[in-house]
Amino acid sequence: LRFVQTLSGPLEGVDARENAVRAMAQAVNSPGGVLYLRTDDGEAYRPAASWPAGALDLRRRESLEPNDELVAFLRDRQWVIDLTELRATPDLYGNLTLPAIVDETLGNGPERDRLIVPLTHVDALIGFVVLAAPPDPFTPNYEDRDLLKMMGRHVAVHLAQYESDHRLAESRQFETYHRLTAFVMHDLRNLAAQLALIVSNAERHKRDPE
């Protein structure tokens, strides 16, 4: 319930992407996390937002290619990855090799990344969220994993709708700009025609004061 309330009612000045991370982190009492989203061309998964805002230097977070082992695992299996469990029993995850992005500390504190939640929309992996470790004791069971997976799908739909609305707003802005430009160009052409007529008449009648 808190997840839905947070996702549907962001704080003032909080971006929709940041708020999505916040909603997921609060559900498991995580201190924060990073959102990775697929680029428009589908060539990479890049860090797009973090929560708390500004706590992480996103420029230092590496991008992942679509054929990266972690991305392929999330896309094919759609599992929630518990990094502590992965390090203890790697065979459960097919001996998945972790990229450097999940080994960094969160902000200035000692917290390590703990969970990776896939964001799946229409069976396509549009991104994933890396969440920092919640306070101990934290041992997620299958219900926690199902809840996180459900939240991931909900966030994916939410972000897809956000991106669609954003593109639609930009399209409408361009349409308004084109209309304004058409009006301005029409007026400029009228002014140019009037000036051309004055110049041609001046050339013909410059010696005739009347």
PDB file of all heavy atoms in Angstrom, residues 127-139:
ATOM      1  N   GLY A 127      14.542  -1.963 -18.079  1.00  0.00           N
ATOM      2  CA  GLY A 127      15.533  -1.481 -17.117  1.00  0.00           C
ATOM      3  C   GLY A 127      15.560  -2.364 -15.887  1.00  0.00           C
ATOM      4  O   GLY A 127      14.961  -3.452 -15.851  1.00  0.00           O
ATOM      5  N   PHE A 128      16.250  -1.892 -14.881  1.00  0.00           N
ATOM      6  CA  PHE A 128      16.297  -2.593 -13.603  1.00  0.00           C
ATOM      7  C   PHE A 128      16.699  -1.615 -12.508  1.00  0.00           C
ATOM      8  O   PHE A 128      17.245  -0.540 -12.784  1.00  0.00           O
ATOM      9  CB  PHE A 128      17.268  -3.787 -13.648  1.00  0.00           C
ATOM     10  CG  PHE A 128      18.672  -3.438 -14.067  1.00  0.00           C
ATOM     11  CD1 PHE A 128      19.638  -3.119 -13.132  1.00  0.00           C
ATOM     12  CD2 PHE A 128      19.023  -3.443 -15.406  1.00  0.00           C
ATOM     13  CE1 PHE A 128      20.933  -2.801 -13.512  1.00  0.00           C
ATOM     14  CE2 PHE A 128      20.318  -3.128 -15.807  1.00  0.00           C
ATOM     15  CZ  PHE A 128      21.266  -2.805 -14.859  1.00  0.00           C
ATOM     16  N   VAL A 129      16.400  -1.990 -11.280  1.00  0.00           N
ATOM     17  CA  VAL A 129      16.706  -1.161 -10.119  1.00  0.00           C
ATOM     18  C   VAL A 129      17.669  -1.919  -9.212  1.00  0.00           C
ATOM     19  O   VAL A 129      17.423  -3.087  -8.884  1.00  0.00           O
ATOM     20  CB  VAL A 129      15.432  -0.782  -9.335  1.00  0.00           C
ATOM     21  CG1 VAL A 129      15.789  -0.010  -8.067  1.00  0.00           C
ATOM     22  CG2 VAL A 129      14.503   0.045 -10.205  1.00  0.00           C
ATOM     23  N   VAL A 130      18.755  -1.265  -8.842  1.00  0.00           N
ATOM     24  CA  VAL A 130      19.716  -1.830  -7.893  1.00  0.00           C
ATOM     25  C   VAL A 130      19.466  -1.165  -6.541  1.00  0.00           C
ATOM     26  O   VAL A 130      19.610   0.050  -6.413  1.00  0.00           O
ATOM     27  CB  VAL A 130      21.166  -1.583  -8.354  1.00  0.00           C
ATOM     28  CG1 VAL A 130      22.143  -2.220  -7.368  1.00  0.00           C
ATOM     29  CG2 VAL A 130      21.390  -2.131  -9.758  1.00  0.00           C
ATOM     30  N   LEU A 131      19.070  -1.962  -5.550  1.00  0.00           N
ATOM     31  CA  LEU A 131      18.730  -1.437  -4.231  1.00  0.00           C
ATOM     32  C   LEU A 131      19.835  -1.741  -3.230  1.00  0.00           C
ATOM     33  O   LEU A 131      20.414  -2.832  -3.235  1.00  0.00           O
ATOM     34  CB  LEU A 131      17.420  -2.033  -3.734  1.00  0.00           C
ATOM     35  CG  LEU A 131      16.158  -1.690  -4.532  1.00  0.00           C
ATOM     36  CD1 LEU A 131      14.960  -2.466  -3.986  1.00  0.00           C
ATOM     37  CD2 LEU A 131      15.888  -0.191  -4.513  1.00  0.00           C
ATOM     38  N   ALA A 132      20.116  -0.772  -2.370  1.00  0.00           N
ATOM     39  CA  ALA A 132      21.107  -0.965  -1.316  1.00  0.00           C
ATOM     40  C   ALA A 132      20.551  -1.895  -0.236  1.00  0.00           C
ATOM     41  O   ALA A 132      19.333  -2.089  -0.117  1.00  0.00           O
ATOM     42  CB  ALA A 132      21.491   0.372  -0.703  1.00  0.00           C
ATOM     43  N   ALA A 133      21.449  -2.467   0.540  1.00  0.00           N
ATOM     44  CA  ALA A 133      21.057  -3.452   1.541  1.00  0.00           C
ATOM     45  C   ALA A 133      20.187  -2.831   2.630  1.00  0.00           C
ATOM     46  O   ALA A 133      20.564  -1.825   3.233  1.00  0.00           O
ATOM     47  CB  ALA A 133      22.309  -4.069   2.167  1.00  0.00           C
ATOM     48  N   PRO A 134      19.018  -3.422   2.916  1.00  0.00           N
ATOM     49  CA  PRO A 134      18.195  -2.982   4.045  1.00  0.00           C
ATOM     50  C   PRO A 134      18.898  -3.322   5.353  1.00  0.00           C
ATOM     51  O   PRO A 134      19.846  -4.123   5.380  1.00  0.00           O
ATOM     52  CB  PRO A 134      16.901  -3.772   3.880  1.00  0.00           C
ATOM     53  CG  PRO A 134      16.911  -4.258   2.466  1.00  0.00           C
ATOM     54  CD  PRO A 134      18.350  -4.441   2.113  1.00  0.00           C
ATOM     55  N   PRO A 135      18.449  -2.738   6.451  1.00  0.00           N
ATOM     56  CA  PRO A 135      19.062  -3.052   7.747  1.00  0.00           C
ATOM     57  C   PRO A 135      18.897  -4.533   8.095  1.00  0.00           C
ATOM     58  O   PRO A 135      17.898  -5.159   7.751  1.00  0.00           O
ATOM     59  CB  PRO A 135      18.285  -2.166   8.736  1.00  0.00           C
ATOM     60  CG  PRO A 135      17.678  -1.094   7.892  1.00  0.00           C
ATOM     61  CD  PRO A 135      17.413  -1.701   6.550  1.00  0.00           C
ATOM     62  N   ASP A 136      19.878  -5.085   8.761  1.00  0.00           N
ATOM     63  CA  ASP A 136      19.795  -6.472   9.228  1.00  0.00           C
ATOM     64  C   ASP A 136      18.803  -6.581  10.379  1.00  0.00           C
ATOM     65  O   ASP A 136      18.623  -5.614  11.152  1.00  0.00           O
ATOM     66  CB  ASP A 136      21.184  -6.940   9.680  1.00  0.00           C
ATOM     67  CG  ASP A 136      22.119  -7.155   8.503  1.00  0.00           C
ATOM     68  OD1 ASP A 136      21.617  -7.509   7.413  1.00  0.00           O
ATOM     69  OD2 ASP A 136      23.330  -6.947   8.669  1.00  0.00           O
ATOM     70  N   PRO A 137      18.160  -7.707  10.545  1.00  0.00           N
ATOM     71  CA  PRO A 137      18.245  -8.902   9.695  1.00  0.00           C
ATOM     72  C   PRO A 137      17.337  -8.759   8.472  1.00  0.00           C
ATOM     73  O   PRO A 137      16.218  -8.260   8.580  1.00  0.00           O
ATOM     74  CB  PRO A 137      17.750 -10.020  10.605  1.00  0.00           C
ATOM     75  CG  PRO A 137      16.789  -9.330  11.539  1.00  0.00           C
ATOM     76  CD  PRO A 137      17.322  -7.935  11.739  1.00  0.00           C
ATOM     77  N   PHE A 138      17.834  -9.171   7.324  1.00  0.00           N
ATOM     78  CA  PHE A 138      17.051  -9.124   6.097  1.00  0.00           C
ATOM     79  C   PHE A 138      17.328 -10.393   5.302  1.00  0.00           C
ATOM     80  O   PHE A 138      18.416 -10.568   4.750  1.00  0.00           O
ATOM     81  CB  PHE A 138      17.421  -7.891   5.261  1.00  0.00           C
ATOM     82  CG  PHE A 138      16.684  -7.826   3.941  1.00  0.00           C
ATOM     83  CD1 PHE A 138      15.339  -7.537   3.896  1.00  0.00           C
ATOM     84  CD2 PHE A 138      17.361  -8.061   2.751  1.00  0.00           C
ATOM     85  CE1 PHE A 138      14.654  -7.479   2.680  1.00  0.00           C
ATOM     86  CE2 PHE A 138      16.689  -8.007   1.538  1.00  0.00           C
ATOM     87  CZ  PHE A 138      15.332  -7.720   1.499  1.00  0.00           C
ATOM     88  N   THR A 139      16.347 -11.278   5.295  1.00  0.00           N
ATOM     89  CA  THR A 139      16.445 -12.513   4.527  1.00  0.00           C
ATOM     90  C   THR A 139      15.170 -12.656   3.712  1.00  0.00           C
ATOM     91  O   THR A 139      14.152 -13.155   4.206  1.00  0.00           O
ATOM     92  CB  THR A 139      16.602 -13.732   5.461  1.00  0.00           C
ATOM     93  OG1 THR A 139      17.709 -13.523   6.339  1.00  0.00           O
ATOM     94  CG2 THR A 139      16.834 -14.997   4.647  1.00  0.00           C
TER      95      THR A 139
END
